[in-house]
């Protein structure tokens, strides 16, 4: 199956990014921020995955996350790498499905 949940992210995908993980926030923190803000937020669903810079500098996220700007930037970079791995391997997560559904609704004029 092509679906990525937390266990698969932690056990299979994150080790691929392991060389870049030294000193980063915990695996769960990275997953939650990718899912909640970078890929799964309303902003991301309507405009595509947020960039590392947008996530790091956006004042909205300063109030909603406990991560410092440098850690938000790092999580954003990992989210970019995660998205590349998903695309390369034909994998998807729940945010991928939600965004695809919103795109189809827009294409058919059912959503502004």
């Amino acid at each position: 199956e092509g679906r990525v949940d937390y266990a698969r992210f932690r056990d299979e995908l994150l080790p691929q990014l392991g060389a870049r993980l030294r000193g980063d926030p915990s695996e769960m923190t990275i997953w939650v921020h990718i899912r909640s803000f970078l890929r799964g937020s309303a902003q991301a669903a309507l405009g595509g995955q947020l960039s590392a810079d947008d996530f790091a500098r956006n004042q909205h996220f300063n109030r909603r996350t406990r991560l410092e700007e440098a850690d938000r930037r790092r999580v954003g970079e990992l989210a970019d790498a995660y998205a590349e791995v998903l695309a390369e391997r034909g994998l998807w997560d729940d945010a991928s499905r939600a965004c695809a559904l919103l795109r189809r609704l827009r294409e058919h004029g059912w959503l502004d």
Side-chain angles (χ1 to χ4, degrees):
E1 179 181 311
R3 181 173 182 262
V4 176
D5 59 7
Y6 173 67
R8 188 171 190 183
F9 172 78
R10 180 194 63 218
D11 299 339
E12 186 179 326
L13 300 182
L14 205 51
Q16 292 180 3
L17 309 173
R20 301 180 230 168
L21 281 176
R22 284 180 225 107
D24 281 330
S26 74
E27 296 159 336
M28 178 59 82
T29 298
I30 294 167
W31 174 252
V32 166
H33 281 77
I34 289 173
R35 294 266 320 231
S36 299
F37 301 112
L38 289 139
R39 292 178 59 81
S41 68
Q43 284 176 289
L46 296 173
Q49 178 175 313
L50 299 177
S51 72
D53 283 340
D54 288 341
F55 183 57
R57 288 192 250 160
N58 189 312
Q59 293 300 314
H60 174 71
F61 296 117
N62 286 344
R63 293 186 299 273
R64 294 188 61 204
T65 179
R66 293 184 183 144
L67 297 179
E68 298 293 327
E69 183 176 337
D71 287 334
R72 285 194 313 274
R73 183 173 309 284
R74 186 70 191 113
V75 169
E77 291 167 355
L78 290 167
D80 290 344
Y82 170 65
E84 288 176 25
V85 170
L86 291 180
E88 288 169 2
R89 294 181 52 191
L91 302 173
W92 53 274
D93 60 16
D94 294 338
S96 304
R97 292 294 166 126
C99 289
L101 174 61
L102 286 172
R103 267 194 308 276
R104 283 193 298 271
L105 290 172
R106 274 190 174 153
E107 288 170 4
H108 293 285
W110 296 345
L111 185 66
D112 291 330

